[in-house]
Amino acid sequence: MARLLVEGGLRLNGKVEVSGSKNSLLPIIAAAAMATEGESHIENVAPYTDVLDLCQILRELGATVEWEGETSLRIEASRLNGWVAPYVLARRLRGSSYLLGLLLARMGKAEVAIPGGCEIGSRPIDYHMRGLGMLGAVTRVERGAVLAETDGLRGATIYVDRASVGTTVNLMLAGSTADGVTVLDNAAREPEIVDLANFLNGMGAHVRGAGTSLVRIEGVRSLAGTRHEAIPDRIEAGTYLLSAVTGRGKVRVEKMIPEHLRAFLLKLEEAGAKVGEGTDWVEVEAEAGLMGIDIQTQPYPGFPTDLHPLFVGVLTLAPGVSVVEETIFDNRFGYAGELIRMGANIKIERSTAIVRGTDKLTGAPLEITDLRGGAALILAAMAAEGTSELDGINFLERGYYQLEARLNSLGASIRRSGD
Ligand code: EPU
């Protein structure tokens, strides 16, 4: 199995670009298969393994999904004819839950494995099932999969529990061609939801209010292919910006949207980093490191849960006590034990990490068990004395593309061994 060897203690400086947002691409690729005519061209696509897996599922359901060059996908789904998603592929990624909305809309029935994904909590899909039920689907769980069926989806007004991102996506897909109007109250407001709405509207849908808590979808008869460029990945951008802290240097991230990271950037400034920005770039300078701060994760526009592990990683070296509360997922601290192996002082109490800053971390053999926790370990290893060996790098490939190469271009030393 391949592993990463990370040499710590190197100073980072330079510029880096980010790829398209994984969490935008997954719903958009599923939405592209809603088209009964024409083809979609989706740009700014990176070959994250989650994206590759979803594309493969769509192929097995009868769609044509092809790469056009390195960063663009062509999707043609007029002949989509399957309704059973291949179990092993579907259970690998959370984004496969979007197949429920898609297949109910296109085929009137769906069988999709209960999605797995990263080990960050129990992550049920009861909100998705309840919402789809209100649109006229009958759902049940059998042999590890959700079976759903409808004699025709009908618009309804639905309260989205906990402003769930995935539920909002599924109901936007299902509502787009449902009979009548669907209103999502307490909808997720993430930028990825807005991106999906723009894509669906390009296909001929009538989605209004995306980015607010109230999304209104007027069902249309059918959707057609369109062209779209996915938004930049805000979590990848945040990852490189935090590398300026572990690398005690200055890092500029280009081709990003600063507004999508506002809460994170304000927290970085509060912790003592110098933050500069233009329309599509942000620069962080943190030669002196950070000071301890308190953070609570929240749905957008609050501080993103996906950046909590990375922030905890850098706060392990920040003087003072930091209190980081995770409010979205029930078990997102898997990485903390590995940071403790490196000499970090972290106590987990229920949903909160209490971090007492230490003077130094030391390299260690480390095990990655989830995507963002893995990135947190890489950043910590870059700040540690000596070399760290990281196993479980398949988790990183779910949502980062060329992570080592990009960090190395800033001055890090990360090598792959044992491929
Ligand atoms: N939840 C339920 N039942 C449901 C749906 C959600 O109990 O039916 C719970 C979840 O377990 C969680 C909370 O509600 O405690 C919110 O979950 P949400 O549905 O918003 O999250 P998600 O759609 O499963 C997406 C991203 C995550 C990101 C979250 C929050 C994708 C594929 N995943 O997950 O991304 O953390 O929104 O912003 O878009 C990542 O990229 O590393 C990642 C984990």
Side-chain angles (χ1 to χ4, degrees):
M1 283 295 264
R3 48 175 22 192
L4 289 183
L5 305 180
V6 182
E7 190 188 325
L10 299 174
R11 203 166 268 276
L12 262 62
N13 254 305
K15 291 181 194 168
V16 68
E17 287 180 3
V18 292
S19 298
S21 160
K22 166 181 80 84
N23 291 347
S24 259
L25 286 166
L26 294 171
I28 285 173
I29 289 168
M34 293 279 293
T36 46
E37 58 182 281
E39 53 186 40
S40 288
H41 299 269
I42 303 165
E43 284 153 27
N44 206 17
V45 186
Y48 308 123
T49 52
D50 275 11
V51 163
L52 299 179
D53 286 343
L54 184 61
C55 290
Q56 186 53 30
I57 296 173
L58 291 181
R59 287 187 193 103
E60 296 193 23
L61 292 170
T64 302
V65 184
E66 289 173 352
W67 287 94
E68 306 176 293
E70 272 178 30
T71 57
S72 177
L73 277 178
R74 181 176 83 85
I75 300 181
E76 203 280 325
S78 62
R79 288 180 303 280
L80 192 89
N81 58 7
W83 54 276
V84 182
Y87 190 92
V88 175
L89 274 176
R91 74 164 286 169
R92 271 196 213 155
L93 70 152
R94 184 74 182 171
S96 66
S97 57
Y98 308 150
L99 296 165
L100 288 171
L102 160 70
L103 293 173
L104 278 169
R106 284 291 307 271
M107 310 298 300
K109 54 184 174 177
E111 183 179 320
V112 182
I114 301 259
C118 285
E119 292 173 25
I120 55 177
S122 50
R123 302 183 84 182
I125 56 165
D126 53 329
Y127 305 158
H128 299 236
M129 288 167 66
R130 201 175 46 78
L132 292 169
M134 290 178 77
L135 294 181
V138 178
T139 61
R140 66 178 196 278
V141 175
E142 219 175 270
R143 293 188 55 78
V146 178
L147 272 70
E149 219 168 329
T150 181
D151 55 7
L153 296 171
R154 295 170 293 279
T157 296
I158 302 167
Y159 177 81
V160 181
D161 289 281
R162 301 187 65 185
S164 155
V165 174
T167 308
T168 304
V169 168
N170 239 332
L171 300 179
M172 281 167 69
L173 296 181
S176 287
T177 54
D179 196 11
V181 175
T182 298
V183 176
L184 306 180
D185 196 348
N186 199 37
R189 291 179 285 165
E190 270 67 3
E192 292 78 14
I193 297 292
V194 178
D195 207 21
L196 172 64
N198 290 337
F199 179 70
L200 283 168
N201 287 339
M203 296 176 81
H206 282 190
V207 181
R208 300 290 176 265
T212 76
S213 304
L214 205 69
V215 174
R216 187 175 189 278
I217 306 153
E218 220 172 283
V220 295
R221 265 183 180 285
S222 64
L223 298 173
T226 188
R227 188 173 283 278
H228 184 82
E229 182 180 333
I231 57 169
D233 197 303
R234 60 194 167 104
I235 308 303
E236 186 190 9
T239 304
Y240 299 133
L241 292 173
L242 284 174
S243 77
V245 181
T246 44
R248 295 291 166 107
K250 187 153 106 178
V251 171
R252 180 166 162 143
V253 177
E254 301 190 325
K255 290 201 181 163
M256 63 170 285
I257 302 176
E259 211 42 51
H260 290 173
L261 273 182
R262 185 57 58 209
F264 166 82
L265 295 175
L266 289 169
K267 278 293 177 186
L268 255 179
E269 272 188 316
E270 184 188 326
K274 276 194 215 146
V275 180
E277 68 180 65
T279 43
D280 67 348
W281 58 268
V282 173
E283 186 169 83
V284 169
E285 196 179 334
E287 277 163 21
L290 299 184
M291 299 296 291
I293 51 161
D294 295 348
I295 295 176
Q296 188 190 54
T297 64
Q298 288 290 331
Y300 191 84
F303 187 96
T305 170
D306 292 340
L307 283 170
H308 125 220
L310 290 119
F311 225 113
V312 168
V314 305
L315 287 173
T316 58
L317 288 166
V321 179
S322 300
V323 178
V324 180
E325 187 186 356
E326 170 59 49
T327 71
I328 310 291
F329 291 108
D330 55 32
N331 188 14
R332 202 166 198 171
F333 293 106
Y335 64 88
E338 301 301 283
L339 290 175
I340 289 169
R341 251 175 235 290
M342 304 175 82
N345 185 339
I346 306 176
K347 289 243 167 358
I348 307 295
E349 288 187 3
R350 292 174 191 270
S351 59
T352 302
I354 299 158
V355 185
R356 290 188 171 78
T358 51
D359 292 346
K360 65 166 189 179
L361 299 176
T362 46
L366 301 169
E367 179 75 41
I368 297 174
T369 55
D370 76 276
L371 168 62
R372 308 301 174 188
L377 296 181
I378 292 198
L379 289 195
M382 283 162 52
E385 273 178 16
T387 302
S388 299
E389 302 88 41
L390 287 93
D391 284 315
I393 60 178
N394 53 310
F395 283 103
L396 292 170
E397 289 161 356
R398 305 178 68 127
Y400 287 100
Y401 179 54
Q402 295 179 332
L403 180 65
E404 306 113 82
R406 289 179 191 188
L407 288 171
N408 286 344
S409 77
L410 296 172
S413 167
I414 307 175
R415 280 185 301 120
R416 224 165 238 256
S417 83
D419 247 336

